[in-house]
Amino acid sequence: MADFGPENRSISSRSPETPAVFEVPKKPKKNKFAFGCAMLASLTSILLGYDFGVMSGAIMFIQDDLRISDVRIEILVGVLNLYCLVGAIAAGKVADWIGRRYTLVLANVIIFVGSLLMGFSVNYAFLMVGRFVAGIGVGFAIMSAVLYNAEISPASSRGFLTSFPEVCINVGILFGYVSNYGFSKLPLSLGWRFMLGIGAIPSAFLVFAVLAMPESPRWLVMQGRLDEAKIVLEKTLDTKEEAQLRLNDIKEAAGIPQDCTGDAVVPNRSHGKGVWRELFLHPTPSVKHVVICAVGIHFFQQSSGVDAVVLYSPRIFEKAGITSSNDKLLATVAVGFVKTIFILVATFFLDKVGRRALLLFSVGGMVASLSALGFSLTIINHSETKIPWAIALCITMVLAFVAFFAVGMGPVTGVYISEIFPLRLRALGVSMGVAVNRVTSGVIAMTFISLYEAITIGGAFFLFAGIAAVGWVFFYVCLPETRGKTLEETEKLFGKLVGWREVAKKMKEANANGTTNGQIPLENK
């Protein structure tokens, strides 16, 4: 599957006699306008990462200041994910209604209010209200940022640009860890409130910055605004000819006749009516395959325990034998730094190596590092004295785990799910995937302390390693490669859950012979 890159294929068209001028260059340059739009949309995701990262250290001070139990801490930490679920589901419909850009604006407004509420909290109940509002906002943010980036990006660099939200989440986590360390020097009652409340500042800036972005061309087509969509496509793609071909692809997917131009066409604006039925009640074989892949990749991403490490790093390091609060926070900053560095590395390989290869490599490394982490924590747990090599192995394996996660599993999930849904199902499909992601993450975050108290902390990480191993098998069997294909072409890869390789082979042969992907006869379409 590695040779499915943009350098080996031409842009989809209606005719096998497509002139050579329409071909994507072998080494396409990054479109600066698309790069800027994707980066600006992704900045909202920093706030999600910050919220997760800062809470890992803030809970130490919140627990001391408000005198709350471990169970309440688990709820406080993990409940954001369940609130995100509400936001993500709502964002799917809102994004189809008001557009991707204004959904991002709304996300930042909600996060701004939530951050202020948390920063001015006077008790646990008030803090939970702020957590609820912020959770709704980040649910809007992560769904709309991934969706916007997928629809604004050229096929040749879609992996690079669509991974930006995950990059920004990791930058936000690092900022949260640094904020923990910096504000920990303040008085107890002020430190954690500054940690949580300062998140309002970037969201206020982004409310206005996002308005400078154009709307998604695919959403514009769905609204019948064809001229505006063509203008955006011409800015985000390399040539006007390529923009016209992409516009034709989108019109076909939206059910708009090819001879329609201007803004006179008004497609059926159902705003999601019947989409859930098509996704779950009466899906075609292709849609069923897409839904299984989307649910599976989001489930395994979170059930492998990444949020247990991100949110409870100080506790893990405490179990490893680090007792100083200052040292625990510094070690946690190292986790954020490593995670951020490797997510940046991943962005340059997504469009070169491909989603599938990077994912399999990443998850394999996660299985190995989680197993070694469980082993080292078990040794430490059964020893009455400090064992330096076991402590060093534990810290090293935590860093290795986040590195392996960041180089593949982290960014590939967001990129992949944004590519595989058909246009008519994309907004709600992406929101469904985000909902699965947040629910799984919430369950892990809200049960991790209880889990390691029941089966030991080493046993908890052995469990996560086993889940990741099952995930590796699922990815190998079920997930096709999508690198270098337009969003419309990607649809044709799905329909045979374990037999997709045959379809991929036909597509490769068709491209090699100069025919188009749209002309391949697929029995399941």
Side-chain angles (χ1 to χ4, degrees):
M1 299 299 296
D3 53 358
F4 264 161
E7 65 275 10
N8 293 317
R9 54 173 296 278
S10 60
I11 292 295
S12 174
S13 70
R14 305 290 160 249
S15 169
E17 289 84 16
T18 303
V21 71
F22 289 178
E23 296 178 354
V24 175
K26 289 186 177 181
K27 294 184 178 180
K29 296 180 179 179
K30 303 297 185 207
N31 184 290
K32 293 181 180 178
F33 184 78
F35 179 93
C37 292
M39 177 57 74
L40 195 55
S42 302
L43 289 177
T44 305
S45 301
I46 287 181
L47 302 173
L48 169 64
Y50 182 84
D51 226 320
F52 274 91
V54 78
M55 191 55 76
S56 70
I59 55 176
M60 297 191 300
F61 307 104
I62 293 172
Q63 190 166 25
D64 289 342
D65 188 27
L66 301 183
R67 300 184 183 281
I68 55 180
S69 65
D70 279 348
V71 173
R72 284 195 166 190
I73 285 294
E74 281 184 318
I75 294 172
L76 178 65
V77 169
V79 78
L80 180 77
N81 294 287
L82 302 185
Y83 298 151
C84 282
L85 167 64
V86 178
I89 292 174
K93 288 185 175 291
V94 172
D96 277 343
W97 179 36
I98 65 174
R100 286 46 165 155
R101 182 178 58 163
Y102 284 112
T103 304
L104 280 167
V105 171
L106 182 58
N108 282 288
V109 170
I110 299 172
I111 293 171
F112 175 80
V113 175
S115 297
L116 287 182
L117 289 174
M118 288 192 292
F120 286 102
S121 296
V122 295
N123 53 39
Y124 183 77
F126 201 123
L127 185 58
M128 288 294 287
V129 171
R131 198 78 167 147
F132 171 75
V133 176
I136 297 294
V138 296
F140 267 75
I142 56 179
M143 181 270 170
S144 50
V146 169
L147 186 63
Y148 180 87
N149 283 10
E151 295 185 346
I152 204 75
S153 304
S156 59
S157 59
R158 191 174 61 247
F160 177 73
L161 298 182
T162 312
S163 65
F164 280 2
E166 185 69 22
V167 174
C168 289
I169 289 173
N170 283 271
V171 172
I173 290 172
L174 178 58
F175 284 168
Y177 290 159
V178 173
S179 176
N180 287 152
Y181 183 75
F183 290 119
S184 66
K185 313 304 179 185
L186 294 177
L188 180 63
S189 61
L190 289 178
W192 66 267
R193 289 182 170 89
F194 270 97
M195 294 174 192
L196 300 179
I198 202 170
I201 296 176
S203 60
F205 163 76
L206 288 170
V207 166
F208 301 100
V210 168
L211 292 173
M213 303 177 341
E215 185 50 82
S216 156
R218 286 174 173 81
W219 183 82
L220 291 171
V221 170
M222 294 295 287
Q223 304 306 303
R225 294 154 63 177
L226 304 184
D227 286 345
E228 293 178 58
K230 186 175 181 181
I231 291 171
V232 176
L233 287 168
E234 288 176 351
K235 290 182 178 180
T236 56
L237 300 178
D238 295 327
T239 66
K240 290 185 178 182
E241 291 83 1
E242 185 181 347
Q244 182 62 53
L245 288 172
R246 184 67 57 82
L247 180 62
N248 292 343
D249 281 341
I250 301 171
K251 286 164 66 177
E252 181 182 28
I256 299 174
Q258 293 297 327
D259 57 355
C260 289
T261 59
D263 294 337
V265 177
V266 181
N268 177 24
R269 294 187 176 97
S270 62
H271 301 306
K273 293 180 180 178
V275 171
W276 291 113
R277 186 183 302 111
E278 190 172 352
L279 279 173
F280 298 111
L281 297 180
H282 303 290
T284 64
S286 177
V287 171
K288 187 184 299 183
H289 186 179
V290 167
V291 170
I292 290 172
C293 289
V295 171
I297 195 169
H298 274 294
F299 171 77
F300 285 113
Q301 185 199 52
Q302 293 302 325
S303 61
S304 61
V306 63
D307 277 357
V309 174
V310 170
L311 292 169
Y312 294 102
S313 287
R315 286 188 178 238
I316 295 171
F317 291 131
E318 183 178 351
K319 293 291 184 180
I322 301 175
T323 56
S324 166
S325 295
N326 194 62
D327 291 343
K328 284 186 285 187
L329 290 177
L330 280 174
T332 302
V333 169
V335 171
F337 181 77
V338 169
K339 202 167 185 289
T340 302
I341 291 297
F342 278 88
I343 190 70
L344 291 173
V345 171
T347 61
F348 294 99
F349 284 96
L350 277 164
D351 290 314
K352 295 179 180 179
V353 176
R355 289 66 158 140
R356 180 180 160 83
L358 209 57
L359 183 64
L360 293 175
F361 168 77
S362 168
V363 177
M366 288 164 59
V367 172
S369 55
L370 284 168
S371 300
L373 178 58
F375 170 75
S376 63
L377 287 169
T378 300
I379 294 295
I380 293 169
N381 193 45
H382 286 82
S383 176
E384 296 180 356
T385 59
K386 286 189 175 183
I387 306 177
W389 68 264
I391 296 173
L393 179 62
C394 175
I395 296 172
T396 302
M397 288 302 102
V398 168
L399 298 177
F401 170 70
V402 297
F404 278 117
F405 178 88
V407 84
M409 189 77 204
V412 168
T413 299
V415 171
Y416 199 83
I417 193 174
S418 68
E419 295 176 325
I420 61 179
F421 281 100
L423 177 62
R424 65 191 179 281
L425 308 177
R426 187 166 299 140
L428 289 180
V430 170
S431 70
M432 177 271 298
V434 171
V436 171
N437 189 292
R438 293 300 90 197
V439 168
T440 309
S441 175
V443 170
I444 296 297
M446 295 173 71
T447 60
F448 179 67
I449 296 175
S450 301
L451 177 66
Y452 77 64
E453 288 178 348
I455 64 173
T456 74
I457 194 164
F461 284 104
F462 280 128
L463 175 62
F464 293 146
I467 293 172
V470 174
W472 191 96
V473 175
F474 172 81
F475 300 144
Y476 180 81
V477 172
C478 299
L479 270 65
E481 178 61 77
T482 58
R483 177 175 70 114
K485 295 200 167 10
T486 68
L487 297 179
E488 289 67 38
E489 291 171 338
T490 299
E491 291 184 43
K492 299 174 177 63
L493 282 169
F494 292 84
K496 297 180 179 179
L497 189 61
V498 295
W500 54 267
R501 289 174 177 82
E502 178 184 348
V503 177
K505 183 178 179 181
K506 289 181 180 179
M507 294 177 71
K508 179 181 176 181
E509 291 173 351
N511 280 326
N513 294 331
T515 60
T516 65
N517 293 331
Q519 295 174 318
I520 298 175
L522 299 177
E523 298 82 356
N524 56 2
K525 299 303 286 181

